[in-house]
Amino acid sequence: MSTQAEDVAAEEQVAEDDSPLADPEFREQLRELPPSAKLVAKVLEGEAPLSQGELAEESLLPDRTVRYALNRLADADLVDSRYSFHDARKQVYFLAA
């Protein structure tokens, strides 16, 4: 019989395998980007979708740096966005699959 801790670890491993960050091609593209873009991608891996403001809060980066990181990620086709269901004035971001 497996313990609860083993079950949680197995679920986390499955979730990590489904993450775009587990894809070697995605990781190679990300490797060429600045550290701020890597941090934003890591935050999005765990808590997507997030708005620009939420990304700034979670990553502890300034809004301007988050905007730059999102632009670099978007240019590399590593992040996508859509309008928020909660507030149609805002866009939320998530990693491209």
Side-chain angles (χ1 to χ4, degrees):
M1 293 187 95
S2 65
T3 66
Q4 185 176 9
E6 290 172 342
D7 292 341
V8 169
E11 287 176 12
E12 287 175 356
Q13 183 63 38
V14 169
E16 287 175 10
D17 292 343
D18 291 341
S19 168
L21 287 177
D23 178 24
E25 185 177 322
F26 188 97
R27 292 175 66 86
E28 189 59 35
Q29 288 180 300
L30 189 60
R31 190 176 315 258
E32 304 299 320
L33 297 179
S36 60
K38 294 172 186 166
L39 177 58
V40 167
K42 189 64 177 170
V43 170
L44 285 173
E45 177 188 31
E47 301 187 35
L50 293 173
S51 69
Q52 182 179 325
E54 292 168 331
L55 279 167
E57 188 175 307
E58 291 295 321
S59 66
L60 303 177
L61 293 171
D63 287 337
R64 184 175 179 173
T65 304
V66 170
R67 188 170 45 253
Y68 173 76
L70 287 169
N71 286 334
R72 295 295 306 266
L73 287 164
D75 290 345
D77 294 325
L78 299 179
V79 71
D80 284 325
S81 66
R82 64 169 168 75
Y83 287 101
S84 172
F85 296 132
H86 300 291
D87 186 349
R89 298 171 295 175
K90 294 183 180 181
Q91 285 197 326
V92 291
Y93 300 89
F94 52 93
L95 295 178

